[in-house]
Amino acid sequence: MSMSMFMQSSFFTNSTLIILLLVMLIGTSQSSSANTTTHRHPLKLDFYSKSCPHVEQLVGAVTSQQFKESPVSAPATIRLFFHDCFVQGCDASILISTKPGSKALAEKDAQDNKHLAVEAFDTIKKAKALIESKCPGVVSCADILAIAARDFVHLAGGPYYQVKTGRWDGKISMASKVSYNIPRANSTIDELLKLFASKGLSLQDLVALSGAHTIGFSHCEHFVRRLYDYRGTKKADPAMDPRLQKALKMSCSQYGGNPEVVVPFDVSTPFTFDHAYYGNLENNMGLLATDQALFLDPRTRPIVQALGSNKQKFFQAFSEAMDKMGSIEVKRGKKHGERRKECSQHLQ
C-alpha cells in the first residue's frame, strides 16, 4: 500500500503521520530467522450455495472498495472479528447497538471496545445491505463478518483461506461480558494461554493470531507505561529497543497527550500483511508488552522464530488459527440465534 493511499484515510491526524514516519525511519534491520471447553458446531464450505450462491463475491465487492477508500478498514475488521469471537462466540453480537435509554450496554460500548474503528462497522453494514438486496433474510451478519475479515487479510497481502459458514447471529450482547474475555495489552503469557485455551485455541494459535499485528495500530494508552514507568520502576521497559522508545516518546507523553495518536504494531512494514511482526519481536521492537512477551517466554519463542523465518509457514498457521477461532461457540437455530436484517438491531 502506498503512503498516499494511507494518508487518504480520515482516521489519521497529522501528529499520527509524524510518529509513523519517525518510527519507520528508525532504520532497524530485521532478522530473517525467526483442553477445549468451547462447544463447536459444524460449519461448512458453500453453506449458501443454493440460498445465496454469490455471497462471497457480494462481500468482496464491498471489502475491495473499502480497502481502496479507507485502508484502516482492514486491521479494524480483523480486530472486530477477534473481539466478536472471543466474547460469547462468533455471533455478530459485537455489532448490536445499545438500546436508547438502556442502562445495560451492548458489547460494542464496553470500555475494551471503545477504540474499535467505525470503518469496520461501516464495512459490515454496507455488505449486509448489498446482500439483503440480493438474498433477503438468508445470510447472517456473523458469516458476513467472518468473510470480510478474510477478505481484508488477503487484500493487505496475506493468505486467502476458505471460510466455513452457517453461523446464526446471537441474541445476547452485553458489555459486562467483554473485559474478562479480551486480552489486555500487558497480559502475561500464562494469562493469555489460559484465555486462549478457554476458547479451544492452542499455544501455536496464540502466536499465529498475534501475527495479525503485522498490520494495524494502537493508541498510546496501551503501551505508555512501557515508556515511562515499566512495572513501577519509573524507567522504560528494558526489553524495548531504545530507538523505538525515543521515537514513541516524541508523540506519546506520560501525561495529557493526544488520545487520538496511533502507532503501528509493525514498525517495519506497517501496511503489509507479512511475517515481519515476528522479526520485530526478535529485535525488541514489539509495541505492546504482550507482543514482546511472545519472544521473551521460552514456550512461545520457538514458534515466533519459526513463523518469523518462513512467511508461508506463518500464512498456513494463521489460516488454520482463524478457522478454529471462527468456530468458537457458533450459534445454530432459532432457539439460540437469529438472522438479523440490520446487523445493529435484534429482530423484533
Side-chain angles (χ1 to χ4, degrees):
M1 185 187 303
S2 68
M3 179 60 76
S4 60
M5 180 182 292
F6 169 68
M7 293 178 69
Q8 289 173 12
S9 174
S10 60
F11 180 76
F12 301 100
T13 63
N14 289 334
S15 59
T16 299
L17 292 173
I18 291 172
I19 182 62
L20 291 179
L21 291 171
L22 284 168
V23 175
M24 287 188 288
L25 289 172
I26 286 172
T28 182
S29 60
Q30 295 302 310
S31 169
S32 59
S33 65
N35 297 325
T36 300
T37 60
T38 57
H39 300 288
R40 298 189 181 278
H41 293 274
L43 299 173
K44 63 180 183 179
L45 299 175
D46 301 322
F47 180 83
Y48 298 107
S49 59
K50 294 182 179 180
S51 58
C52 192
H54 303 300
V55 60
E56 295 209 13
Q57 292 94 319
L58 294 171
V59 176
V62 173
T63 52
S64 60
Q65 187 64 28
Q66 282 285 112
F67 190 69
K68 292 177 183 177
E69 295 178 356
S70 185
V72 73
S73 300
T77 305
I78 297 167
R79 185 184 180 201
L80 186 67
F81 184 49
F82 179 92
H83 279 228
D84 181 46
C85 290
F86 264 59
V87 182
Q88 301 188 104
C90 306
D91 62 357
S93 53
I94 198 165
L95 303 178
I96 290 292
S97 296
T98 300
K99 291 183 178 180
S102 174
K103 294 182 179 180
L105 299 178
E107 281 178 38
K108 67 183 297 185
D109 294 318
Q111 183 69 16
D112 293 276
N113 289 330
K114 69 177 182 178
H115 289 313
L116 290 174
V118 67
E119 288 85 351
F121 293 95
D122 288 345
T123 296
I124 307 306
K125 182 178 181 179
K126 290 176 183 178
K128 179 62 172 176
L130 179 59
I131 290 171
E132 284 296 307
S133 71
K134 305 293 184 181
C135 314
V138 172
V139 182
S140 69
C141 300
D143 279 341
I144 293 172
L145 178 54
I147 295 168
R150 184 278 314 279
D151 285 356
F152 281 126
V153 168
H154 187 59
L155 286 166
Y160 184 91
Y161 53 90
Q162 296 294 319
V163 175
K164 298 185 182 75
T165 47
R167 303 166 185 82
W168 286 54
D169 300 324
K171 295 183 177 181
I172 299 172
S173 181
M174 300 171 60
S176 60
K177 301 281 187 180
V178 174
S179 63
Y180 57 89
N181 279 303
I182 297 295
R184 317 235 72 78
N186 60 351
S187 294
T188 66
I189 295 299
D190 283 337
E191 290 169 339
L192 290 174
L193 288 174
K194 182 178 180 181
L195 175 60
F196 274 64
S198 74
K199 310 300 178 185
L201 299 171
S202 68
L203 181 103
Q204 167 137 327
D205 296 326
L206 163 62
V207 180
L209 289 171
S210 296
H213 282 178
T214 183
I215 58 174
F217 306 84
S218 178
H219 289 76
C220 295
E221 66 181 81
H222 296 301
F223 57 84
V224 69
R225 288 187 180 180
R226 293 190 72 199
L227 305 178
Y228 298 101
D229 188 24
Y230 180 66
R231 295 185 177 177
T233 62
K234 307 297 183 182
K235 298 179 181 179
D237 184 352
M240 180 184 285
D241 184 283
R243 294 164 294 176
L244 180 58
Q245 291 177 18
K246 183 177 180 180
L248 294 176
K249 285 181 177 180
M250 295 181 73
S251 244
C252 296
S253 60
Q254 186 171 9
Y255 304 107
N258 183 349
E260 298 305 316
V261 170
V262 292
V263 177
F265 289 112
D266 178 352
V267 299
S268 57
T269 57
F271 314 116
T272 305
F273 198 102
D274 57 20
H275 63 321
Y277 163 81
Y278 299 104
N280 293 335
L281 303 187
E282 295 187 58
N283 285 290
N284 297 323
M285 301 286 281
L287 185 63
L288 305 183
T290 49
D291 291 322
Q292 196 58 52
L294 294 174
F295 183 69
L296 297 176
D297 193 287
R299 293 168 292 182
T300 48
R301 184 187 300 122
I303 304 175
V304 169
Q305 293 171 323
L307 300 186
S309 64
N310 189 319
K311 184 169 72 172
Q312 290 309 313
K313 182 176 289 187
F314 164 52
F315 280 8
Q316 180 66 30
F318 183 81
S319 299
E320 292 174 357
M322 286 291 277
D323 179 67
K324 288 176 67 176
M325 187 181 79
S327 300
I328 296 174
E329 296 181 45
V330 166
K331 311 297 187 298
R332 294 293 299 273
K334 293 183 178 180
K335 181 178 180 180
H336 302 290
E338 59 187 3
R339 288 197 179 98
R340 297 196 285 273
K341 294 182 179 179
E342 291 187 32
C343 295
S344 62
Q345 297 180 15
H346 286 300
L347 293 177
Q348 298 300 319

